[in-house]
Amino acid sequence: MDMLRRMFEKKRPPAPKDLPHFIYIMLPEAIGPTERCDQYGDPIDAELQLTGLGCVSGGGTATGPEDADGIEKIYGCGVDVDTHDLNGARTLLRQHLPSLGCPIGTELQFQVDGVHRHDLFDGNHWALDLPVTVVDQRDDD
């Protein structure tokens, strides 16, 4: 009986201190939290845990101002990934996200030595380890 219980127990993700790297999967897709979790979060978490690379630790929805009916427009969403192997997790994500239906413009956002970088999906291929350009929108007047 103990063997069956161990086989079907859900594995707990490693403690955050064991997963020092963070990847934000930015999806330029107007889907809400439930669909994001079903389409991306759960399958990605399963792959990361199966390979021992890490886990999905959260996600978010990018919304804009409310329309005339008081409904916020969804502009995109994201999935948070914690990992102990940044390059291994990036490779796994680049392999699996297209099969999950990720749109053109999907990004894997991460840091290397405190410098923001990203991988960018063009619909067929990934451009790797690109610098992130930050636009300063402050009004200096």
Side-chain angles (χ1 to χ4, degrees), residues 19-38:
L19 301 171
H21 303 288
F22 177 77
I23 301 170
Y24 181 71
I25 305 168
M26 194 285 296
L27 300 149
E29 186 169 17
I31 59 175
T34 302
E35 189 177 350
R36 178 193 68 234
C37 187
D38 291 346

Side-chain angles (χ1 to χ4, degrees), residues 30-32 61-76:
I31 59 175
T61 304
T63 59
E66 294 180 354
D67 64 16
D69 297 324
I71 299 171
E72 290 181 323
K73 181 176 179 181
I74 297 175
Y75 290 97

